[in-house]
Amino acid sequence: SGLLFDAEAKRYGVFEAWPAEVTARVLGYFGDTLELNDLIGGHSSIGVVTAALAAGRDRKISGEELLTGIVAGTEVTARLYESAVGRFKRYSEGGSVMVSYFNAVGAAAALSVMSSFDDATTTNAMAIAASMNSWCPAEVIFGQGGTIKPMLFGGNPAACAVLAAGYAAEGLTGPRGIIESPIGMMAGLATSFDPSKILDTERWYITAPQRKMHAACGYTHSSIDAAGSLHLSVEEQGRVESIDVAVPAFFKEAVGKEGRPKSANDARFHLGYVVSLALQGLYPILPEHTEDFDRIFGQGLTASLSDKVRIVPNDGIAAGGSKPYNIARVTVHFNDGEQRSQTCTSPIGSSENPMSGDDVVNKFIRLVSPAASEETAVELAERILKIGTAADVRPISEAVLELVRQEMVKR
């Protein structure tokens, strides 16, 4: 993130003068590196909230207007995601990750609501954002994507949304059928989708949020929780012969890594690595566990346990579950023939097993404190919790952005 900050500064000058689309891009990038994004609609907040915060820096927007936009953008993102979840093309078939596309559309919806666009302008803003958002290659997300990877879930979608809203406001139009067209977005990402979930007037997906307890890919959370709940003693850890992790088959292409993690990003998607940490009682998985992966991999039994993890593709394990990525079964085989198993169908943070309000606030404070003091983090959390009553969100937006600037300069 420090490299990105320097690159943007060379092009756009001092941080305070950056255009909103640049600010949104950097916010999304930084949020992804620390796994601040949630799992509502496949990481909606990393695009929606960052775009809204960037827009809220440039003009007077009340807290109520900001929250209304964020709710709308989150709901749009979630409806697109839920309409096709379980029908996404295999990563080895489509080579693309759907999250980025949906986040761009949702972020554009948020900005449209915040700008009081009429229906036609809102439609064009979302369509333009969808068309401008670049390909989100699975190789970059799950393979070796270099340091550009954090741009793809939040940074680029948020920046595209800011630009799209500006273009739509000036009368530019977009491809209105880009979602449902036979040669459109869903045709590229999924084998089919259910339009009724997009058009549903009864259900609100935002009322059943899923948040991230762990700073790792959401595909790993059920496995982490199942492994952590086994509570293996140090003696038992030393007797492990093998570890079977049963998950839906498509997981293997995403998190089926082998050997030592190759980068911090690789560590976040390395099922063997994060399961080995959980088995040793390192819970929850924190940003430092993946950022400092090289040192941690060599400590204790991490390398040994990680190498013993075998993914067992099992689509049947997800039958009847609300979301396929929320289900996993971890079975530990010991060298004396004993085995112990634990199944998780609702990881902490899922709508069926939600994090409490205090859990969410404490996570915020834990993640923000390194960039500030704990006192500052607590004060900022209190201000954000009351943001709905703010007449102007610019002071809060500026406080968040200043923390980001300080942290990025450090890096």
Side-chain angles (χ1 to χ4, degrees), residues 100-114:
S100 181
Y101 305 92
F102 299 161
N103 282 355
V105 179
L111 297 180
S112 297
V113 170
M114 290 166 59

Side-chain angles (χ1 to χ4, degrees), residues 8-280:
E8 300 290 12
K10 286 181 180 179
R11 295 177 65 194
Y12 297 103
V14 296
F15 180 69
E16 291 74 18
W18 284 0
E21 64 267 21
V22 180
T23 304
R25 183 163 61 230
V26 171
L27 281 174
Y29 188 101
F30 187 72
D32 191 276
T33 61
L34 290 181
E35 288 284 353
L36 298 179
N37 45 13
D38 57 32
L39 294 170
I40 306 173
H43 307 301
S44 62
S45 64
I46 199 67
V48 170
V49 175
T50 50
L53 276 176
R57 179 191 192 190
D58 289 345
R59 68 182 195 276
K60 183 177 180 180
I61 296 173
S62 71
E64 182 178 357
E65 291 170 325
L66 179 77
L67 292 181
T68 301
I70 289 174
V71 168
T74 299
E75 189 66 19
V76 166
T77 307
R79 287 177 179 229
L80 289 169
Y81 185 89
E82 295 294 339
S83 74
V85 68
R87 311 180 208 187
F88 297 134
K89 290 182 178 178
R90 290 171 61 92
Y91 298 120
S92 56
E93 179 184 351
S96 193
V97 181
M98 68 296 303
V99 169
S100 181
Y101 305 92
F102 299 161
N103 282 355
V105 179
L111 297 180
S112 297
V113 170
M114 290 166 59
S115 300
S116 299
F117 287 170
D118 59 25
D119 289 351
T121 308
T122 298
T123 298
N124 283 316
M126 292 191 289
I128 293 171
S131 61
M132 288 181 61
N133 190 66
S134 65
W135 174 44
C136 186
E139 170 60 21
V140 177
I141 302 297
F142 301 123
Q144 295 307 306
T147 54
I148 201 64
K149 180 267 172 184
M151 189 70 74
L152 299 183
F153 277 178
N156 193 58
C160 286
V162 173
L163 289 170
Y167 289 148
E170 296 303 319
L172 272 73
T173 59
R176 296 173 66 92
I178 195 169
I179 302 295
E180 70 274 17
S181 166
I183 53 174
M185 178 187 293
M186 288 303 189
L189 298 174
T191 57
S192 64
F193 77 106
D194 183 357
S196 68
K197 292 193 175 181
I198 299 176
L199 303 173
D200 189 354
T201 60
E202 300 297 326
R203 178 174 182 179
W204 285 80
Y205 288 101
I206 196 172
T207 61
Q210 179 149 342
R211 298 186 171 91
K212 299 187 77 166
M213 170 64 77
H214 307 289
C217 173
Y219 287 165
T220 68
H221 287 206
S222 283
S223 300
I224 292 169
D225 283 5
S229 65
L230 287 169
H231 301 297
L232 298 187
S233 67
V234 174
E235 185 272 333
E236 288 171 328
Q237 295 169 28
R239 293 194 293 111
V240 172
E241 182 73 24
S242 63
I243 305 157
D244 291 342
V245 181
V247 291
F250 75 93
F251 275 34
K252 192 171 180 65
E253 294 180 339
V255 296
K257 314 292 186 179
E258 295 181 357
R260 179 185 291 267
K262 299 177 179 61
S263 65
N265 183 62
D266 192 53
R268 295 185 185 103
F269 293 88
H270 196 305
L271 189 68
Y273 175 62
V274 294
V275 165
S276 73
L277 298 181
L279 287 172
Q280 295 177 91

